[in-house]
Amino acid sequence: VVPRIITRSAPGSVYRSPQLYARLRPDMDADNSTDALATVWRQTYKGGVWRPCIHNLTNSLPESNGYIYVEANGGLNQQRTSICNAVAIAGFLNATLIIPNFHFHSIWKDPSKFRDIYDEEHFVKRLQNDVRVVNKAPDFIMERFGHNLSNVFNFKIKAWSSSTYYKDVVLPKLVEERFIRISPFANRLSFDAPPVVQRLRCLVNFEALKFSNPIATLSETLISRMRERSAESNGKYIAVHLRFEEDMVAFSCCVYDGGDEEKKEMDVAREIGWRGKFTRRGKVIRPGIIRMNGKCPLTPLEVGLMLRGMGFNNKTAIYLASGKIYKSEKTMAPLLEMFPLLQTKETLASDEELAPFKVLSG
């Protein structure tokens, strides 16, 4: 079954950025007077320094209601959100959380474990007064399930479920089984949650999650080198995270300017990454509406146009963080024209420095 793709054009529904860039390029090259790096942070927060709303607990924890195992899916940002939500849910249900597992995605093919990315010892220690966290379920629990996780009851929870749902539906099953799984576990908790849940989310995000030493050390090295290469702007630079990887383009169902070749590649990527999700009977895809609603990933060209529109000139140093950019040879060309001082981890670090991380990601 092939989904219907509605492609009739409407005002603002067609990707016209290359034409816009061609029209604006002469003016961009002629105007390098604005020093946006000196002005962009001029309006500081008048209330002082932003601080997370965390207060520490010293009370001992009550007896646990059981163990919760979650499988965090998605990219690094989704995984981080999943970890925050998993801790919040475990604390709310007075459960013991097993260190979250990361889903091995067919597109990313990243076998990294929690300890490869985060400081696991710090994570457990920082949460010890709030939520019990263990590396694995104890043997006496696993014996009940034949030491096989697939035998453990798995909750299929809708996205953005309320904390009330967890209390009324998940908790009774947790108490009964003493061990439950929740997989997949991305965006499975609503933003609207009681203060006790929000506090735990905040605690995890700001204090419990620290990158592992190898990642933190290389990060400091990259920052130091970017500052050295930003001497003209007193060590200031822009860090940009592009979201124009193949999986993002495919999942969005947006149409760019690649024609039939792009369509074929995206159809294949969608089927590999989300088998059947986009081809089920009655599915209608409206790329024009998606674009008009502002839900299409920005191309590198569009990011460049936005930054130049903010006043950043072609002498601005940029650190680019992202995965493998879709059609990078073509799509990155205009961004490099607008910002020739752009750097990536590959240009800042040696092959030897990057090698340990390439082993992790396959």
Side-chain angles (χ1 to χ4, degrees):
V1 178
V2 179
R4 287 194 297 143
I5 301 180
I6 309 299
T7 58
R8 288 191 297 273
S9 299
S13 67
V14 178
Y15 174 71
R16 295 191 176 95
S17 298
Q19 295 91 325
L20 176 66
Y21 176 54
R23 192 170 77 244
L24 296 177
R25 179 73 194 276
D27 293 332
M28 286 185 190
D29 290 342
D31 182 14
N32 286 318
S33 59
T34 303
D35 184 9
L37 279 170
T39 61
V40 70
W41 298 120
R42 184 169 292 170
Q43 302 300 322
T44 57
Y45 173 54
K46 295 181 180 179
V49 179
W50 288 101
R51 298 182 186 279
C53 50
I54 300 170
H55 59 277
N56 294 325
L57 298 181
T58 56
N59 300 332
S60 59
L61 294 173
E63 184 178 351
S64 174
N65 286 321
Y67 295 82
I68 294 180
Y69 170 89
V70 304
E71 190 170 83
N73 58 313
L76 184 62
N77 189 54
Q78 282 181 298
Q79 288 174 347
R80 188 180 184 93
T81 301
S82 296
I83 295 167
C84 294
N85 286 341
V87 171
I89 288 302
F92 184 62
L93 301 183
N94 187 32
T96 301
L97 179 68
I98 298 173
I99 289 288
N101 185 50
F102 296 154
H103 177 58
F104 184 86
H105 195 278
S106 56
I107 291 178
W108 300 297
K109 297 183 173 67
D110 185 355
S112 300
K113 302 301 181 185
F114 187 98
R115 65 169 58 91
D116 295 323
I117 300 175
Y118 298 109
D119 185 333
E120 187 173 308
E121 183 179 349
H122 171 81
F123 180 76
V124 175
K125 185 175 181 179
R126 183 61 187 88
L127 294 173
Q128 63 185 356
N129 293 328
D130 298 89
V131 181
R132 290 184 179 87
V133 182
V134 297
N135 185 263
K136 62 180 182 178
D139 285 341
F140 76 88
I141 289 287
M142 291 305 298
E143 285 177 3
R144 294 181 50 207
F145 304 97
H147 294 275
N148 188 344
L149 271 174
S150 62
N151 294 332
V152 178
F153 181 83
N154 184 41
F155 264 102
K156 294 290 186 179
I157 296 177
K158 292 182 179 180
W160 316 116
S161 291
S162 67
S163 54
T164 301
Y165 174 85
Y166 282 91
K167 182 178 180 181
D168 294 344
V169 179
V170 178
L171 180 58
K173 193 68 175 178
L174 171 67
V175 172
E176 175 189 345
E177 294 284 330
R178 301 294 296 170
F179 186 18
I180 61 171
R181 289 191 299 145
I182 307 177
S183 177
F185 191 76
N187 304 323
R188 291 308 193 267
L189 178 62
S190 68
F191 289 122
D192 184 16
V196 64
V197 173
Q198 300 289 37
R199 176 191 164 274
L200 286 173
R201 276 171 158 166
C202 193
L203 174 64
V204 180
N205 195 46
F206 285 97
E207 296 191 7
L209 281 177
K210 288 175 54 179
F211 284 119
S212 62
N213 279 336
I215 292 178
T217 300
L218 182 59
S219 298
E220 290 297 327
T221 299
L222 297 182
I223 290 171
S224 175
R225 291 172 185 171
M226 275 303 303
R227 287 173 174 163
E228 290 173 4
R229 300 190 186 201
S230 309
E232 287 192 22
S233 55
N234 297 317
K236 297 178 181 178
Y237 63 92
I238 303 173
V240 178
H241 185 197
L242 284 181
R243 296 313 314 270
F244 202 66
E245 299 98 336
E246 182 178 90
D247 67 292
M248 285 295 295
V249 178
F251 188 82
S252 73
C253 294
C254 295
V255 174
Y256 294 90
D257 59 354
D260 290 340
E261 180 183 358
E262 177 188 301
K263 181 183 182 305
K264 291 176 182 177
E265 289 176 346
M266 294 299 97
D267 286 344
V268 170
R270 280 190 282 268
E271 190 57 26
I272 292 175
W274 302 273
R275 196 172 303 278
K277 179 180 178 67
F278 296 96
T279 56
R280 64 177 183 267
R281 186 178 299 277
K283 180 75 172 180
V284 178
I285 298 174
R286 296 183 173 88
I289 297 297
I290 298 171
R291 180 164 295 282
M292 290 177 69
N293 288 338
K295 294 184 178 180
C296 289
L298 293 180
T299 65
L301 186 155
E302 290 170 324
V303 170
L305 288 173
M306 179 181 68
L307 292 173
R308 291 301 293 261
M310 292 171 65
F312 294 104
N313 62 35
N314 63 5
K315 295 181 180 179
T316 303
I318 291 181
Y319 175 71
L320 187 67
S322 69
K324 184 179 180 182
I325 300 301
Y326 176 61
K327 297 283 188 182
S328 60
E329 186 173 341
K330 170 189 173 183
T331 58
M332 284 295 297
L335 181 60
L336 287 167
E337 288 176 354
M338 285 183 268
F339 296 99
L341 300 183
L342 182 146
Q343 302 287 336
T344 66
K345 61 182 181 295
E346 286 81 10
T347 62
L348 291 172
S350 67
D351 291 340
E352 290 76 16
E353 289 172 314
L354 295 173
F357 304 98
K358 291 181 178 180
V359 170
L360 286 179
S361 60

